Amino acid sequence: MSLIASSAGVVAEAEAYIDKVIAGEVVACRYVQLMAARHRRDLADGHQRGLRFDVAAAQHVLDFFHFLRHSKGEWAGRVVELEPWQQAILWVLFGWYRKDGTRRFRACHLDVARKNGKSTVAAGIGLYLMIADNEPGAEVYSAATKREQA
C-alpha cells in the first residue's frame, strides 16, 4: 500500500507504479528500482534531511499533460495520455522539494528505446516549465544533434 493518497483518497497511478516496481510486479531496470526505493525511503525519513514531498505540485504537472495534444501522426489531435512509467518519473521529479523551497531534482537523464514517448514527455516538460510553473521570465531550451530532432 502506498504512503501517498490524493485528496480524493485515490492512490495516484504514479505511486501504484512505484509500488509495483518495488514488489517486482513490473519489470524495471536497476536504476528505476533504485528510484522507486529512494522515493519510498525518503517518504519515510526524508523530512529528517530537509526534504518534503508536495503531492499537489506532483499532481499539477500530471494534470498539465491533460491539456496537451499530439500534433502529428496517427494520434494527431488526441490528448496526451502518459504511461504509468512516465507518470512516475514526473511525479518524483516535480514532487520533491528541499527545505529552502527549491526542487530537489533539477536534472533528469532518461534512456528509453525509440518510439516510447521520450520526445512527448520532454516537450511536455518544456511547456510546463515555460508556462505553468509560475516562473517569471522562464526560459526553456531544447538541443539535439540534428535540427529535425530539436
Side-chain angles (χ1 to χ4, degrees), residues 13-14 17 58-68 70 78-91 94 116-125:
E13 192 169 349
Y17 178 84
Q59 189 62 51
H60 190 257
V61 73
L62 295 180
D63 291 343
F64 176 78
F65 272 80
H66 294 294
F67 291 99
L68 304 180
H70 292 277
R78 291 188 191 170
V79 173
V80 172
E81 293 182 30
L82 295 172
E83 295 292 326
W85 68 268
Q86 294 168 321
Q87 291 181 39
I89 289 168
L90 295 173
W91 183 258
F94 286 91
N116 276 292
K118 293 184 298 286
S119 297
T120 301
V121 170
I125 289 172

Side-chain angles (χ1 to χ4, degrees), residues 9-82:
V10 179
V11 176
E13 192 169 349
E15 287 291 331
Y17 178 84
I18 291 168
D19 288 341
K20 289 177 183 177
V21 167
I22 291 170
E25 297 172 22
V26 170
V27 176
C29 73
R30 177 176 175 262
Y31 297 108
V32 172
Q33 293 170 357
L34 290 171
M35 182 238 3
R38 180 193 61 225
H39 178 67
R40 279 291 168 263
R41 185 177 56 251
D42 290 345
L43 285 173
D45 63 15
H47 63 281
Q48 297 169 355
R49 292 177 286 125
L51 300 173
R52 67 178 175 81
F53 190 81
D54 186 336
V55 174
Q59 189 62 51
H60 190 257
V61 73
L62 295 180
D63 291 343
F64 176 78
F65 272 80
H66 294 294
F67 291 99
L68 304 180
R69 295 184 179 275
H70 292 277
S71 60
K72 54 185 175 176
E74 67 180 278
W75 295 308
R78 291 188 191 170
V79 173
V80 172
E81 293 182 30
L82 295 172

